[in-house]
Amino acid sequence: NRDKAGDTLTLSDVVINGGMPESQVDFSVARITLSESGDGTVRTVFADQMTGEAHGTDPEGQSYSVPFTLDIPGNVIVTSGAPEDMTHVFDYPTMDFVLTTIKSGDKETPLPIKVGVADSTGTFHIVAGSPAKYDYAMKSGRITFSGDVTSEEDDKVKFEGSIDGAETSGEMAVPDGTKIEEDMNAALKAGLAMDGVLKAGAMAVSFDFAGTDEDGQETSGAGKYDGKGFELSFGLSQDGMTYQAGSDAGSFELTSSDMPFPINYAIESGSFDMQMPVMQSEQAQPFKFAYSLAGLTLGDAIWNLFDAQGQLPRDPASLDIDVTGQMKVTKDIFDPASMAPASDEAEAEADGTADGAEGMEAAEADPQPFEPVEVAINQFALNALGAKVNAEGALKAPESGDMTTPVGEVHARYEGVNGLIDKLGAMGLIPEDQIMGVRMMMAMFAKPVAEGEDKLETRLEFKEDGSIFANGQQIK
């Protein structure tokens, strides 16, 4: 219903719905008022509460529905600009999202979950055209969440937590006529591009659970997580896909009646960086994979499982990996047709209705979408149990071959490894009759750097003819 009175337009009994056939969401809003402000802007206010329902069909074909409410008292959106270039500035002092039940088939089960977000402000900017362009930025204060869930098998999980604020921003370009949810590949080829960043403050989560295990025995437990904050970012376009994540210090604890000891660990920081191409091309394209974990510590109960006497150093461990290179992409990654099974023979082999050799040939005829042609190990560094391993190198496919017979060199350095082997042998973690074999294997690939020091190095050389040398000694 529409009602215009002076400078105010009131919409009532508004219903908004969308989604895919198997998964849809409906919103009902009792009232929306839009008022002219006299300065060319429009002020929009929604009713203090929205109701809605998520419904659809699960993978097993069972229908489901989840009703919810969203309380947004004091909300306001101020819109400026022109129809082809609009900016919305929003202010939501409170957002409370509440679930109560879930209905699956004919059965309705309680689902008490609450999420609260305080002091959300931000902007949403839209520029019409092809592509249409969107950019957004949002900040929020404290976020709280809680739940008390009981499964159909009467298992119970109770949780609560909070995040000390969050920020998100991003932009997207959407070509006219594209349907992202139906054909992502076509949308990317038409020029779809998006990126975004999410930052969160300190997080604290606690939970407990109770139920029965597979043998019908009662089980229970509790745990908690404390983190100082994290950051996530992503990007996607026809030029490639990127995912990056970084985490500050965090700790986790878990106790359970199924375990004779508590599990707890902590880290000082962690990061992840993946960059990869998504479009088929005869030309090699760059990729990257990097991972870092610093200051990993384990609780004494875990250590005591295999080192009750404390013979191994329990200093914080760390791992750093940084690999870059070039790869060919043989298929568009988001094209469903190209990623489907290559042949009926492969499907028949999976069903056991085709000859084994034919099925194997069909599987081999469906190549992997990625073919690396160059790999650079910029860094591999592992520090744990009093030993250190560092490596770097570069390999590439020969002109008439692939990465199964690469050409290049890898250099590795080890410190404290012999001492670690001695301790593991004394503890019985390496059987006595295998110690000599381990040392002989080390001698084949590593040589001492300096007399009397527990420092070793390995230099692997991969030749054009397929031969491999370790420290000048041919091993293949």
Side-chain angles (χ1 to χ4, degrees), residues 166-183:
E167 297 182 37
T168 182
S169 61
E171 55 188 17
M172 181 165 62
V174 183
D176 189 34
T178 59
K179 297 181 179 180
I180 300 175
E181 69 280 3
E182 295 183 7
D183 195 337

Side-chain angles (χ1 to χ4, degrees), residues 182-432:
E182 295 183 7
D183 195 337
M184 174 67 79
N185 195 59
L188 289 171
K189 287 186 174 181
L192 172 69
M194 64 183 79
D195 62 69
V197 177
L198 170 63
K199 300 178 182 180
M203 176 189 293
V205 182
S206 62
F207 62 91
D208 58 73
F209 57 90
T212 56
D213 60 21
E214 295 179 353
D215 299 324
Q217 300 297 314
E218 292 187 358
T219 181
S220 62
K224 67 177 183 178
Y225 171 80
D226 288 293
K228 300 301 183 183
F230 65 88
E231 179 175 340
L232 304 172
S233 65
F234 78 95
L236 178 62
S237 70
Q238 59 184 316
D239 294 328
M241 176 171 60
T242 65
Y243 282 102
Q244 296 170 316
S247 173
D248 294 330
S251 62
F252 176 78
E253 297 180 15
L254 174 66
T255 58
S256 172
S257 58
D258 291 339
M259 299 182 299
F261 57 88
I263 291 177
N264 54 78
Y265 64 86
I267 65 167
E268 293 179 1
S269 64
S271 65
F272 174 82
D273 185 356
M274 182 184 71
Q275 303 173 29
M276 58 184 290
V278 296
M279 291 294 175
Q280 185 275 335
S281 175
E282 294 298 323
Q283 301 298 318
Q285 304 176 66
F287 73 89
K288 178 179 181 178
F289 174 79
Y291 178 80
S292 175
L293 184 65
L296 172 64
T297 56
L298 303 177
D300 287 339
I302 300 176
W303 279 106
N304 291 338
L305 284 176
F306 53 88
D307 184 25
Q309 303 302 318
Q311 299 182 61
L312 297 175
R314 300 186 180 184
D315 300 333
S318 64
L319 173 65
D320 284 288
I321 301 173
D322 182 359
V323 177
T324 57
Q326 299 278 330
M327 66 167 65
K328 291 182 179 180
V329 182
T330 62
K331 303 176 181 179
D332 292 342
I333 302 306
F334 289 96
D335 184 358
S338 69
M339 297 304 292
S343 63
D344 292 338
E345 287 86 355
E347 295 180 3
E349 166 63 15
D351 293 336
T353 57
D355 178 77
E358 293 178 358
M360 185 71 71
E361 291 174 0
E364 292 175 351
D366 185 19
Q368 295 298 313
F370 301 115
E371 293 182 0
V373 295
E374 291 184 22
V375 176
I377 305 172
N378 304 305
Q379 177 169 280
F380 176 89
L382 174 62
N383 185 351
L385 302 176
K388 297 180 181 179
V389 179
N390 289 273
E392 67 273 336
L395 302 172
K396 65 179 181 179
E399 292 186 7
S400 58
D402 55 30
M403 290 299 287
T404 59
T405 56
V407 177
E409 187 173 304
V410 176
H411 183 211
R413 296 169 302 281
Y414 320 92
E415 184 175 342
V417 173
N418 280 319
L420 176 59
I421 292 174
D422 290 339
K423 290 179 181 179
L424 295 176
M427 296 166 60
L429 296 178
I430 299 180
E432 186 175 347

Side-chain angles (χ1 to χ4, degrees), residues 62 102-105 107-109 149-155:
Q62 184 91 330
I102 178 173
K103 186 175 182 180
S104 181
K107 185 173 183 178
E108 190 168 11
T109 306
V149 181
T150 302
S151 72
E152 294 183 5
E153 293 77 20
D154 206 32
D155 294 330

Side-chain angles (χ1 to χ4, degrees), residues 146-150 156-160 206-210 221-223:
S146 62
D148 190 351
V149 181
T150 302
K156 303 179 186 295
V157 177
K158 187 176 182 179
F159 63 89
E160 62 180 0
S206 62
F207 62 91
D208 58 73
F209 57 90

